Amino acid sequence: MADDNNRRVRLLCRPKQLNTKGSDPEIHFWLVGSPFLPPLTVASFFRCIHSLPSSSSPDFRKESEDLRTLLPKGFELIGAVASGEESDARAAVDAAHSLRKLLYGEGTDRPVIGAVCGSDSSDLRFFVSESGNATSLEAVPSVIEEQDLEKCLWENGCLLHCELPIKLPLYYALKNPTDVEKAYLQAAEAVIAKLRDPKAVYMLESSNKTSQDIPPPVIIRGVQLDFYADLSKIKTLAEDDDGSDARSLSCSYFSFGCKAGSQVFSAENADTIQVSVLFNSFETSSASTVPVAEYFPVEEEARLIVVDIKLDVLCYSSRDLPLKYAVSSLIIPGLVDQLNIVQKLMLPNLLAQHPQLKSYHFSPPGILHPITVFYELSFGETEMKQVEVRRSLHSRLGLPYDRPLLRISNALDFSKLKNNDMISLQKGSTLLRDVHIGIPSSGVTEGTASLVQGSYEYFHYLHEGYNDSGWGCAYRSLQTIISWFRLQNYTSIEVPSHREIQQTLVEIGDKDPSFIGSREWIGAIELSFVLDKLLGVTCKVINVRSGSELPEKCRELALHFENQSTPVMIGGGVLAYTLLGVDYNEASGDCAFLILDPHYTDLDDLKKIVNGGWCGWKKAVDNKGKNFFLHDKFYNLLLPQRPNMV
């Protein structure tokens, strides 16, 4: 290896459930990196889930088919993790090399990482093989675990997105229905040829429609493309390049995220370049032409079917990559791969049952980069076939099984305008969202903060002009909790109004009909009834004799936010609050509660809400002896539990 910098493995993540048992050098994880990241940088761990019958060896064919679909162009397999001792690193390198050969073909001479994990230790040891040669391994002297993970990936990275609807007309003889496969293959090859045609035209434009300084679109012609470039060896553009034409423009031409004050690093907030394919040439011809129709009679009875396909490709790129290489080395290979994937999925049942396949892009928590998944839309999302597909994906990505992270409603939506003002994107909603982000610290010395995970909407008194001041705080807390379940896609129901909440309690027999339209308070028990009825959500209720005893529940509340991560309702007397987290020092017992106060009655002004203390850290007794909670009141804590659903 050339120098010490290239001898360091950089980890942007750690695999879940790393500790492995057994004496066989089984392959447990695949290592994913990118040619746009520093050498030997691991961006994610994908679990190996397919093995050969009666063997611990990976089924490389199935693994390659899955990874070819899941990994966006711009990411690639760079290694593997095996269990065992140092000698088993060779098995990891061999496996990674074999899989790379299936994914990328011959000539993949980049370094391959082989990592091993002992049966009694969760520590990873890394080795590197130049050119995938497993006979020569070098131990990695240092491993760097990066701190700002999203920043490492997205500060100098962007996304490219391309949608391409295709209609494939397929003719076949009724006497020989198998001819339809040949017709499909020929039609697909014709599309691939058009994508690589020198006369093809690609238009690139920014997907950010909210900026006042949107650069004009860029046109790349097929004749400008280079299909044999190696992304890891492409030289970036010179800093003093004036960008006078498309050949000298890089992806940074469409960059907005690097501007000061807009740094939220994630796939959702990444700069996205929209790529459109224009098959018709812009070139003009001096010769006069007229439309021509040709007639080809068939020798026997034939049938025509038209297959509708919508390719939808997402790629990751460095901002410094020239646009022409972004098209030739990312977008076009992505479209070709996706067309081949669709072809393989469709052909077996093309005549009997026309599959309805669509690709979706997800950015699940814990995975820094997007993934792409194909779903068969003929199945409902709750049907077992679809559930098993998602369960398999959760297993590969190390995602929990009690969270619907890969349902269609969780997919990235590039049709939505990028919005940085914290307003909820839910249809018809103008509520503030995630208002606790960026608030001042709690003041707990050396405490551990455990917070709500996921988004919620802030419901408070007088929202939408409904006057519930003095009695509706528990209703508002319930609405905030339901909005959390809605935004995490556990449910698609609208957040219920006060009257609908009352109607629900009457329907289950908890209240008399006269309760509807009243201004009666409700508490934790009523909230649990409504959540069970409307969402199928069970709740845990903790009773506290007074506000002064709330700190005794901090450890239990911290575990709730770490494991369930749902908002909590605190009810005492005539007051109710929404709890979004706790900051707790177990050694000293010092703690603070992150309170979202539904008693706020002013306009939805984020600064006013935070500065006024309507969302912030509260101590049961602060350093001035002031009591936030009423110590002479009985308190209930309502802890909603996540449903077990994939």
Side-chain angles (χ1 to χ4, degrees):
M1 294 187 174
D3 54 52
D4 288 341
N5 286 332
N6 289 336
R7 295 169 61 89
R8 298 176 180 174
V9 167
R10 288 175 169 82
L11 293 181
L12 303 188
C13 60
R14 297 282 296 188
K16 299 178 178 63
Q17 299 177 350
L18 177 61
N19 197 18
T20 57
K21 296 185 180 297
S23 57
D24 294 332
E26 299 180 18
I27 303 302
H28 296 285
F29 294 95
W30 304 114
L31 306 179
V32 175
S34 170
F36 304 118
L37 295 174
L40 308 184
T41 298
V42 179
S44 62
F45 289 73
F46 279 20
R47 186 180 297 277
C48 176
I49 62 174
H50 298 301
S51 59
L52 295 172
S54 305
S55 170
S56 61
S57 299
D59 187 328
F60 291 109
R61 182 185 61 80
K62 289 185 177 179
E63 288 292 309
S64 66
E65 290 173 355
D66 284 2
L67 295 185
R68 191 183 301 278
T69 302
L70 285 171
L71 282 179
K73 294 296 179 184
F75 291 97
E76 61 182 16
L77 183 113
I78 62 171
V81 178
S83 58
E85 303 302 324
E86 178 178 334
S87 59
D88 296 312
R90 291 186 174 88
V93 169
D94 270 339
H97 186 51
S98 297
L99 190 53
R100 280 185 59 86
K101 190 173 180 180
L102 284 174
L103 287 169
Y104 315 121
E106 298 288 351
T108 55
D109 58 350
R110 296 181 194 171
V112 172
I113 301 174
V116 290
C117 173
S119 59
D120 297 323
S121 171
S122 61
D123 291 333
L124 278 173
R125 287 167 292 165
F126 292 92
F127 301 84
V128 177
S129 169
E130 295 288 351
S131 305
N133 182 5
T135 61
S136 175
L137 296 180
E138 290 189 51
V140 175
S142 63
V143 176
I144 301 172
E145 296 199 32
E146 300 286 357
Q147 299 301 313
D148 296 327
L149 307 180
E150 289 82 4
K151 184 177 180 180
C152 291
L153 194 64
W154 295 109
E155 183 175 34
N156 296 305
C158 64
L159 293 173
L160 296 107
H161 181 233
C162 179
E163 293 178 295
L164 179 60
I166 298 173
K167 288 184 180 291
L168 297 181
L170 310 178
Y171 294 90
Y172 66 95
L174 288 180
K175 291 182 180 179
N176 298 300
T178 55
D179 286 351
V180 73
E181 295 188 12
K182 182 179 179 181
Y184 190 108
L185 293 174
Q186 290 176 342
E189 288 172 2
V191 172
I192 293 173
K194 282 187 175 182
L195 291 171
R196 294 172 172 161
D197 193 311
K199 294 182 180 180
V201 175
Y202 295 85
M203 182 173 71
L204 294 83
E205 56 188 334
S206 172
S207 67
N208 192 331
K209 307 301 183 185
T210 61
S211 172
Q212 300 297 318
D213 302 316
I214 302 174
V218 172
I219 296 296
I220 302 285
R221 291 177 170 80
V223 71
Q224 299 171 282
L225 301 179
D226 179 358
F227 295 102
Y228 303 100
D230 184 337
L231 285 176
S232 64
K233 298 177 181 177
I234 294 174
K235 293 183 179 179
T236 58
L237 298 174
E239 292 184 2
D240 58 352
D241 201 309
D242 62 3
S244 57
D245 60 48
R247 288 175 295 181
S248 60
L249 291 175
S250 70
C251 293
S252 61
Y253 172 77
F254 295 106
S255 175
F256 290 90
C258 60
K259 293 182 179 179
S262 60
Q263 294 293 61
V264 179
F265 297 110
S266 68
E268 293 89 344
N269 293 285
D271 289 328
T272 303
I273 302 171
Q274 195 70 32
V275 182
S276 302
V277 184
L278 308 174
F279 282 134
N280 292 329
S281 171
F282 282 174
E283 295 181 0
T284 58
S285 174
S286 58
S288 299
T289 57
V290 295
V292 175
E294 294 186 74
Y295 173 60
F296 297 97
V298 295
E299 297 179 357
E300 54 186 323
E301 189 175 359
R303 183 184 174 191
L304 166 68
I305 62 172
V306 178
V307 179
D308 285 309
I309 300 172
K310 186 176 183 180
L311 304 181
D312 190 329
V313 168
L314 191 66
C315 305
Y316 172 78
S317 173
S318 163
R319 298 183 195 274
D320 296 327
L321 183 69
L323 291 174
K324 64 178 182 179
Y325 292 118
V327 173
S328 62
S329 299
L330 296 174
I331 289 295
I332 292 178
L335 291 170
V336 172
D337 271 359
Q338 200 166 100
L339 187 59
N340 289 330
I341 291 166
V342 171
Q343 170 186 300
K344 193 162 190 175
L345 294 172
M346 278 192 165
L347 280 181
N349 299 301
L350 191 59
L351 296 180
Q353 182 182 0
H354 195 151
Q356 301 177 39
L357 297 168
K358 190 176 187 311
S359 62
Y360 294 91
H361 310 292
F362 297 91
S363 182
I367 307 295
L368 296 181
H369 57 79
I371 61 165
T372 299
V373 178
F374 272 96
Y375 285 146
E376 165 60 273
L377 300 185
S378 301
F379 305 135
E381 283 202 297
T382 58
E383 291 188 38
M384 283 309 299
K385 270 193 174 183
Q386 200 76 304
V387 171
E388 288 306 315
V389 169
R390 291 198 301 271
R391 187 174 294 276
S392 175
L393 289 168
H394 277 240
S395 174
R396 185 179 290 283
L397 301 173
L399 301 175
Y401 295 107
D402 62 346
R403 307 183 187 188
L405 301 173
L406 298 178
R407 293 198 169 203
I408 291 174
S409 52
N410 294 90
L412 296 173
D413 187 353
F414 295 99
S415 66
K416 289 179 179 177
L417 300 181
K418 289 185 182 290
N419 198 343
N420 298 320
D421 58 4
M422 301 183 71
I423 298 294
S424 173
L425 294 176
Q426 291 294 314
K427 183 178 179 181
S429 175
T430 57
L431 288 163
L432 288 174
R433 181 173 166 181
D434 306 336
V435 296
H436 72 285
I437 295 177
I439 64 171
S441 62
S442 68
V444 174
T445 303
E446 297 182 356
T448 300
S450 303
L451 305 176
V452 63
Q453 299 171 27
S455 293
Y456 60 87
E457 294 172 318
Y458 180 25
F459 285 83
H460 55 80
Y461 280 169
L462 305 184
H463 171 64
E464 292 184 340
Y466 186 76
N467 187 1
D468 57 344
S469 183
W471 62 275
C473 50
Y475 290 85
R476 296 301 188 181
S477 181
L478 175 59
Q479 288 175 328
T480 292
I481 291 171
I482 291 177
S483 78
W484 184 93
F485 281 96
R486 177 176 166 80
L487 289 170
Q488 268 54 247
N489 298 298
Y490 283 98
T491 181
S492 59
I493 70 166
E494 298 290 338
V495 175
S497 64
H498 294 57
R499 188 177 185 87
E500 289 168 336
I501 293 170
Q502 294 172 339
Q503 179 72 41
T504 300
L505 291 170
V506 170
E507 288 176 358
I508 65 175
D510 181 66
K511 301 292 184 183
D512 294 328
S514 60
F515 178 65
I516 298 175
S518 70
R519 296 193 167 196
E520 292 186 30
W521 298 316
I522 58 174
I525 301 303
E526 287 89 348
L527 265 65
S528 70
F529 290 160
V530 174
L531 288 170
D532 181 41
K533 172 67 175 177
L534 296 183
L535 278 67
V537 168
T538 59
C539 297
K540 180 179 180 180
V541 177
I542 301 175
N543 299 319
V544 184
R545 287 177 297 179
S546 68
S548 60
E549 294 186 5
L550 276 174
E552 298 175 10
K553 304 299 179 181
C554 267
R555 182 181 289 105
E556 190 170 356
L557 288 169
L559 288 174
H560 168 82
F561 286 112
E562 291 167 9
N563 298 323
Q564 300 296 327
S565 68
T566 64
V568 169
M569 193 278 281
I570 298 180
V574 299
L575 298 176
Y577 304 98
T578 306
L579 179 64
L580 301 177
V582 293
D583 197 354
Y584 180 51
N585 184 323
E586 190 167 358
S588 67
D590 192 17
C591 64
F593 302 83
L594 181 53
I595 296 295
L596 183 67
D597 196 334
H599 302 92
Y600 178 69
T601 58
D602 213 332
L603 298 176
D604 282 349
D605 184 319
L606 184 62
K607 289 184 178 179
K608 185 178 292 187
I609 290 167
V610 173
N611 293 339
W614 300 99
C615 180
W617 292 99
K618 310 289 183 183
K619 292 190 175 182
V621 181
D622 62 21
N623 54 12
K624 296 181 180 179
K626 183 179 179 181
N627 301 330
F628 176 76
F629 300 105
L630 300 176
H631 285 201
D632 59 341
K633 297 295 182 182
F634 183 88
Y635 276 83
N636 286 322
L637 302 176
L638 180 81
L639 285 62
Q641 309 295 295
R642 286 180 181 263
N644 187 17
M645 59 191 295
V646 174

